Amino acid sequence: MIILALGTNIDPKEEYLQKALIQMEKSEIKILKKSSIYETHAWGGVADGKFLNMCVEVKCNFSAYELLDAIQKIELDLGRVRKEHWGNRTIDIDIIEYNNQKFNDERLIIPHKYLHERNFVLRPIYELFGDVIIDNKSIKTSLDKITDEIKVYKVKG
């Protein structure tokens, strides 16, 4: 199972999410499942405004590092500028889970190190897979510990 998390807080938010999904498919990253889109407050205390977030399950023939390269290219193509950690962004795509493999180096940390602290990742994963275990922890148990507000965002049209 490969899970990617997408987030944006720069308008047009829905458009950035949709363009990222289209670019994934064009980059030979097949989308198997898509969560609802969730609206959340910024996490980390740096970014402005509210975010739209979602998770997708994907399939690809890339190694984890090749997948990282591919999604970082998509971010760049969609105008992502990395000025400050956790700052405003047109699109952010994180690898949350990669086939139960673990990575921990200067380029890649999988499972994502803040997974069990972020409702905007836990809720979409729970929607897609139910109470799965990632990094030896229950998604539902971690989600139940978080009190931050999150709601399903209704995309127009």
Side-chain angles (χ1 to χ4, degrees):
M1 167 170 60
I2 302 172
I3 302 172
L4 304 179
L6 291 78
T8 175
N9 74 321
I10 295 177
D11 286 325
K13 297 174 194 173
E14 301 96 331
E15 191 173 308
Y16 281 120
L17 290 174
Q18 292 306 319
K19 284 181 177 180
L21 296 173
I22 291 166
Q23 289 293 85
M24 282 184 214
E25 291 281 357
K26 288 180 178 178
S27 301
E28 299 180 27
I29 302 168
K30 181 172 176 46
I31 298 166
L32 302 177
K33 292 182 183 179
K34 292 189 292 189
S35 75
S36 299
I37 296 173
Y38 292 86
E39 184 178 64
T40 61
H41 295 285
W43 192 93
V46 177
D48 302 318
K50 292 188 177 178
F51 274 78
L52 293 186
N53 296 280
M54 67 185 302
C55 287
V56 293
E57 180 185 15
V58 301
K59 180 180 179 179
C60 62
N61 291 322
F62 299 146
S63 70
Y65 292 97
E66 291 168 336
L67 178 58
L68 178 64
D69 291 340
I71 62 177
Q72 286 181 338
K73 182 181 182 321
I74 292 167
E75 290 175 338
L76 188 63
D77 289 347
L78 293 178
R80 171 82 188 261
V81 177
R82 295 177 187 273
K83 289 183 192 171
E84 57 188 337
H85 195 56
W86 295 331
N88 297 319
R89 63 210 77 152
T90 54
I91 194 72
D92 181 34
I93 308 170
D94 291 329
I95 304 172
I96 302 300
E97 171 68 20
Y98 187 88
N99 294 327
N100 294 316
Q101 295 180 36
K102 292 185 187 256
F103 299 86
N104 191 355
D105 60 45
E106 65 281 348
R107 281 201 68 212
L108 194 56
I109 298 173
I110 301 175
H112 194 282
K113 78 175 170 183
Y114 296 110
L115 162 65
H116 290 279
E117 299 173 34
R118 293 176 163 177
N119 62 354
F120 58 87
V121 178
L122 294 167
R123 181 73 57 88
I125 290 173
Y126 187 75
E127 175 190 336
L128 292 174
F129 305 104
D131 189 19
V132 294
I133 304 297
I134 298 178
D135 201 23
N136 298 315
K137 295 179 187 172
S138 155
I139 293 297
K140 178 146 181 23
T141 300
S142 295
L143 187 58
D144 288 346
K145 292 178 184 176
I146 298 173
T147 58
D148 297 342
E149 181 183 323
I150 185 172
K151 66 178 186 176
V152 176
Y153 180 84
K154 301 295 182 196
V155 178
K156 298 164 200 82

